Amino acid sequence: MTSINYNFNYYNTLKITFVFLLFAFILKSLFKTPSVIIEFVLLSLLLVFSLIYASQYLRINRVSSGVFLLFLIYILLHTLSAIFFRPLIFDIPFISALQFSLLEFRVSTISYFLPLIFIPLIKINHEKFENFLFIIIKLSIGFTIAEQILSLIGLRGFFETFYSTSGVVSDNQIGAKSLGLYRIWGVVGSPQLLGVFHLFTLVYMLHKRNRFWSSLSIISVILSTSKTAYIILLIVGILYLLYNKRYLLLFVLSLLATFILFFIFNMYFTLIENMSDEYPKFQKFIGSILGYSTLLFNVREVSAPEAFIPGGALYTLYDYYSENILQIFLGKGLTYSFMQDNLISSSDLGNFLYLTSDFYILTFFDQYGVFGIILLIYLFGIYPLHKLLSGGNYLHIVPIIFILSMFHYPPHLPKIMMLLASYPLFKIYLYDKE
């Protein structure tokens, strides 16, 4: 009897996945369907193998690790319940519930499980892998800076045309600028999330203690024109000073920032009250930040584009859970982000539309309820902050950036972005040196 052995090089497959996802957005502009399939196959292959490996070698010796696995199991149970219980409760075909849940898993849910794909790396030299990560990060930084420079010198139209086939170029992004810079897509494919992505790269470079590339990461955050990232960058600066115990500098800078913010907003409201058309870019920039709270409670009225009426995301949540009070603990269940409103509304699962992508933290609550939010805040906020201030490393800041960005956009959708977020989560919750 002849036996044949096949060797699977997991480490090289992981590196290939990182390289592919780094350029996935570009490849989707050329070959959208094949690229999506390859992306899902690579991630699924890594996830399946890592689960097999974890079942044999992973040992849970810490409460925090158990809580993280509980979080993943909780999310998985929501997905499974959407498959098996919705056909019984809502009288819809089982195949529809299965199809919708699998599509949502591919687009969104799988991202939360990506920290597991690093488990087979437990016994290798992590410094070697992190050096590879730094190469990926440097390429992404270089791409962002190059795209902004090329756009400014006249090639903006090329990027808009090239990326249009990927489905990410909306009408409001054509020629769009903020503070004189173009709204670019980078390797993430989202002007809104590109800045948050480079906050991740900043933390990695701080961890590497590389000042030059840390500076380039900050420049990339600025070039992204993401106002969400600008605000989080200030918070990261506070965490940096706290971590390095520079309390006096933090106090002085806090006072200075308070005076600057007071001056900025006083100037803005003075211009608005006087109906002045001076400093239009400044007014637009500050107005868009203040518009965040407006859209939280209101929606833009179709018949009058400049008017708003009650009906924002928070209003919708209150309206639903005031009539379904018991669902507040475990949430409504899985909602679907992958389909347009008009398509899903015509199906039997129209009650499970995504609440909103503008305030993703509310959508997460809508899906997973109070229990899910408590787990999320602990795992991505409280515990990493505690470990950071107790002598941890800079990578503990990454989950904090992740949950802060959730207050505006869903940071888990771009897979290259989620891979950079997942590695610190693996180091925090699943890696045990012993």
Side-chain angles (χ1 to χ4, degrees):
M1 180 178 178
T2 303
S3 61
I4 300 176
N5 295 323
Y6 295 94
N7 293 321
F8 173 56
N9 194 317
Y10 186 88
Y11 182 58
N12 285 341
T13 305
L14 182 62
K15 292 199 294 184
I16 290 171
T17 302
F18 264 89
V19 174
F20 180 83
L21 291 179
L22 178 66
F23 300 105
F25 175 55
I26 300 173
L27 293 174
K28 287 176 185 177
S29 300
L30 297 171
F31 318 101
K32 185 172 184 179
T33 301
S35 297
V36 169
I37 294 174
I38 293 173
E39 175 185 291
F40 184 63
V41 168
L42 285 172
L43 292 177
S44 298
L45 179 64
L46 293 175
L47 189 56
V48 169
F49 187 88
S50 64
L51 288 173
I52 295 173
Y53 186 92
S55 66
Q56 300 180 62
Y57 299 105
L58 185 64
R59 299 292 179 268
I60 305 301
N61 300 320
R62 293 173 294 164
V63 173
S64 59
S65 301
V67 175
F68 183 74
L69 293 179
L70 174 63
F71 174 73
L72 297 183
I73 292 171
Y74 180 68
I75 290 177
L76 181 61
L77 288 176
H78 265 282
T79 301
L80 295 176
S81 65
I83 296 174
F84 294 105
F85 292 119
R86 285 181 182 173
L88 300 176
I89 298 173
F90 299 100
D91 192 27
I92 59 174
F94 174 78
I95 192 66
S96 295
L98 177 63
Q99 178 189 13
F100 275 53
S101 296
L102 289 178
L103 285 172
E104 183 62 21
F105 185 82
R106 176 186 67 79
V107 172
S108 175
T109 316
I110 192 175
S111 296
Y112 290 107
F113 294 87
L114 293 185
L116 299 176
I117 69 175
F118 299 101
I119 292 176
L121 303 185
I122 286 178
K123 296 185 179 181
I124 74 164
N125 186 338
H126 283 204
E127 184 177 353
K128 177 182 177 182
F129 176 69
E130 288 178 6
N131 288 335
F132 165 76
L133 274 184
F134 295 134
I135 295 175
I136 294 293
I137 288 171
K138 290 176 182 178
L139 289 173
S140 70
I141 294 171
F143 190 89
T144 294
I145 295 174
E147 184 181 342
Q148 185 62 257
I149 292 175
L150 291 174
S151 296
L152 289 172
I153 64 176
L155 294 178
R156 169 68 175 189
F158 165 77
F159 290 107
E160 291 174 346
T161 303
F162 182 74
Y163 292 147
S164 61
T165 55
S166 66
V168 301
V169 182
S170 56
D171 293 338
N172 65 324
Q173 293 175 337
I174 302 298
K177 278 189 172 183
S178 177
L179 296 179
L181 298 171
Y182 280 106
R183 302 282 282 166
I184 58 176
W185 292 272
V187 298
V188 175
S190 168
Q192 298 88 349
L193 288 173
L194 181 60
V196 178
F197 173 80
H198 283 299
L199 289 172
F200 290 168
T201 68
L202 169 61
V203 172
Y204 273 90
M205 287 306 167
L206 289 174
H207 178 65
K208 185 69 173 177
R209 301 188 183 281
N210 190 316
R211 293 185 177 181
F212 175 75
W213 285 97
S214 295
S215 300
L216 289 183
S217 289
I218 295 176
I219 292 173
S220 296
V221 172
I222 296 171
L223 294 180
S224 72
T225 70
S226 170
K227 290 175 280 294
T228 300
Y230 293 171
I231 294 173
I232 299 177
L233 179 60
L234 296 177
I235 299 174
V236 171
I238 294 172
L239 294 176
Y240 175 85
L241 294 175
L242 286 173
Y243 177 75
N244 290 282
K245 296 180 172 59
R246 298 181 180 178
Y247 304 122
L248 179 59
L249 180 60
L250 176 59
F251 177 73
V252 172
L253 291 177
S254 297
L255 284 179
L256 181 62
T258 301
F259 285 119
I260 292 174
L261 289 174
F262 176 80
F263 172 77
I264 287 174
F265 283 101
N266 184 64
M267 178 180 174
Y268 172 78
F269 287 116
T270 300
L271 291 172
I272 295 298
E273 288 175 4
N274 295 328
M275 293 183 289
S276 173
D277 57 358
E278 294 184 281
Y279 312 109
K281 293 181 179 179
F282 168 77
Q283 291 192 48
K284 182 180 179 181
F285 181 81
I286 300 299
S288 62
I289 294 176
L290 296 176
Y292 173 84
S293 59
T294 301
L295 292 174
L296 182 61
F297 298 97
N298 304 279
V299 293
R300 194 180 298 273
E301 191 175 4
V302 176
S303 59
E306 300 304 320
F308 294 89
I309 58 176
L314 201 59
Y315 182 93
T316 304
L317 270 182
Y318 175 79
D319 186 55
Y320 178 82
Y321 286 102
S322 61
E323 298 181 1
N324 301 274
I325 189 66
L326 293 180
Q327 290 188 30
I328 197 171
F329 299 104
L330 300 180
K332 180 190 293 185
L334 193 67
T335 55
Y336 306 107
S337 63
F338 61 87
M339 294 184 70
Q340 299 175 7
D341 289 1
N342 60 330
L343 295 177
I344 192 172
S345 295
S346 61
S347 74
D348 295 321
L349 293 171
N351 291 327
F352 295 97
L353 283 169
Y354 226 45
L355 175 66
T356 177
S357 293
D358 289 331
F359 308 95
Y360 175 64
I361 191 75
L362 299 181
T363 296
F364 188 92
F365 170 80
D366 191 37
Q367 291 179 311
Y368 303 113
V370 171
F371 186 67
I373 281 290
I374 290 174
L375 290 174
L376 179 76
I377 293 174
Y378 173 77
L379 293 170
F380 288 78
I382 296 174
Y383 187 78
L385 180 60
H386 168 71
K387 296 296 290 184
L388 174 72
L389 300 180
S390 300
N393 57 50
Y394 285 115
L395 291 181
H396 288 87
I397 300 177
V398 170
I400 300 173
I401 295 172
F402 184 91
I403 193 171
L404 288 174
S405 66
M406 290 176 71
F407 281 85
H408 203 178
Y409 298 112
H412 66 302
L413 295 183
K415 298 304 181 290
I416 183 62
M417 186 168 177
M418 195 61 205
L419 284 180
L420 290 191
S422 295
Y423 181 68
L425 290 171
F426 156 73
K427 292 294 291 285
I428 295 170
Y429 295 112
L430 301 175
Y431 177 61
D432 191 337
K433 293 181 180 180
E434 297 180 2

